Structure formats: C-alpha cells, structure tokens
Amino acid sequence: GLDSHRMYISTLLTCFMARLFQVGEHPTQALLDFFTIWDELGISLDVSGGEDVGEGKHEGPLVVVLLGDLKHGRTVHSLAKLLARSSLKHELVLRYCSPKALEMPEHVKDYVKDFPNAKQELYTDMIDAVKGAHVLYVTRVQRERFENPDDYNAVKGAYVVDKSLMDVAPSKMIVMHPLPRVDEISTEVDSDDRASYFRQMENG
C-alpha cells in the first residue's frame, strides 16, 4: 500500500543520503534513478539491521546498460558510482556502450573498480549490449561533443533506441532516460510497457 511505499522511500533515503555526496556530479538524479530501478524491478537491498528492502522480485545479477555519451553524461557518472557502492544483494554488471570518443571516463571506472560486487564491460554495439540486460539507461550523443563532424555523422544513428532494438531486447528490460530527450529514443517506443522514463520522471 501507499504507507509501505513511503516507508521504502524513507528507508532508501536514510540508506543513501550519506552516500549521495560521494557519487559526484548529479547525486539527486542518481537517487531518483536508483529508486526507479528498485521500484520497477524489485531489486533487493541490505540496510542497517540486516533487513531486506523491496519486494525481492529480481533474481540473479543486475545488468545495467549505460548508453550514449558516457564521457560528458553527469547522470551516468553518478548512477554508476551509486549502484556500485549501494547495498545491492545482486552482482552488478555495468555495461558501458558508447562511441570510442565518448567512453566512460577512467576516474569513474576506477571508482567502480573498488567495489568487488561490481563488474564493468565495454561495448560499442547496442544490440550486443542489451542482450540479457535489465536496464537500458539512455543519454544523447550530441553533435557539439565531436571535433570532427564526420565522426559524429558516423555514429549519430547507431545509438538511437527504436522499435527494432526493442524487438530484440529482453522482454522485461526497462528503458530509462533523464529527460528531456531529443531523438535518441524514438517516440514509437513510448507505448512499450518497458519504457519507464515517464514513470521515472513522475518518481521525482
């Protein structure tokens, strides 16, 4: 019910508020994103006192794909750090999928590396990255991030989430985005039950 939902939110806030300010550039968005993953998938957490928080629907590893501009994306930096240092009762697999010029910075990968429960994988192909994934977190590849326009033109269509990708993606994978979007998620995806970005926004 609503009261138990509020209790979960309160517990999450208590557990993570102290950690938020250690995750860097966008801590409040990271908390919202973490809550959305917890709420959508039913992941299990350890909190003080040893009790579980959440419905515990999710079993096995948690595979999260961070897609797009990972070099400049403040939201993905903070989310990767928070997921790594959180009290997940699941193995965490972070898949970084981006153009070569926009890969996840070394300082983020070095931070995550310190947490033995977290595994990091690098991808450039979106279809490969979403195989077996539970979360696809999308950021926009922006033209202005490329010094050479030809480099941008070579990858601009390769990181758009559309129906063809969703057709091969896992049936229970959720799609997240910090919004607003431009063209990195096709509007045809909006009606897919796996599109959680509007629910993600409402959680804020």
Side-chain angles (χ1 to χ4, degrees):
L2 184 59
D3 287 342
S4 63
H5 207 58
R6 285 173 175 161
M7 181 183 70
Y8 290 152
I9 294 171
S10 176
T11 306
L12 276 174
L13 286 170
T14 302
C15 288
F16 293 118
M17 196 54 70
R19 299 172 186 179
L20 278 176
F21 300 102
Q22 301 178 38
V23 300
E25 300 141 271
H26 217 311
T28 52
Q29 181 70 44
L31 179 62
L32 167 62
D33 295 341
F34 188 96
F35 172 76
T36 300
I37 294 170
W38 168 82
D39 190 47
E40 294 272 334
L41 298 181
I43 58 176
S44 297
L45 305 173
D46 273 333
V47 297
S48 56
E51 64 180 302
D52 290 344
V53 179
E55 300 175 26
K57 292 184 297 183
H58 184 79
E59 298 180 351
L62 176 66
V63 180
V64 179
V65 180
L66 303 178
L67 176 75
D69 183 354
L70 307 185
K71 181 177 181 179
H72 303 99
R74 297 185 306 153
T75 56
V76 289
H77 298 174
S78 292
L79 180 59
K81 291 178 181 180
L82 183 56
L83 284 167
R85 67 172 298 113
S86 67
S87 302
L88 287 173
K89 297 185 77 176
H90 311 273
E91 179 190 8
L92 173 65
V93 180
L94 292 172
R95 293 180 178 170
Y96 305 139
C97 184
S98 70
K100 290 287 187 184
L102 300 176
E103 290 182 344
M104 185 67 83
E106 289 299 322
H107 70 85
V108 177
K109 291 190 283 187
D110 288 344
Y111 182 98
V112 172
K113 197 183 299 181
D114 285 340
F115 298 91
N117 197 44
K119 180 181 177 183
Q120 301 178 91
E121 300 174 346
L122 301 181
Y123 288 81
T124 54
D125 185 274
M126 207 164 46
I127 293 176
D128 288 340
V130 300
K131 289 176 181 176
H134 305 104
V135 179
L136 174 61
Y137 193 103
V138 184
T139 65
R140 183 161 57 101
V141 175
Q142 302 177 61
R143 182 190 302 269
E144 55 267 31
R145 300 301 190 187
F146 290 82
E147 293 181 8
N148 185 340
D150 291 338
D151 292 340
Y152 169 75
N153 290 328
V155 301
K156 67 178 181 180
Y159 297 91
V160 174
V161 177
D162 56 15
K163 186 177 182 300
S164 64
L165 178 72
M166 298 305 290
D167 285 345
V168 299
S171 61
K172 295 184 179 180
M173 181 193 78
I174 62 171
V175 181
M176 299 175 63
H177 189 294
L179 298 180
R181 60 154 170 214
V182 179
D183 54 7
E184 58 273 22
I185 300 178
S186 170
T187 55
E188 65 188 3
V189 176
D190 294 353
S191 59
D192 192 306
D193 289 340
R194 293 168 290 180
S196 66
Y197 33 88
F198 296 127
R199 298 190 294 271
Q200 175 187 357
M201 180 178 65
E202 289 168 2
N203 285 336

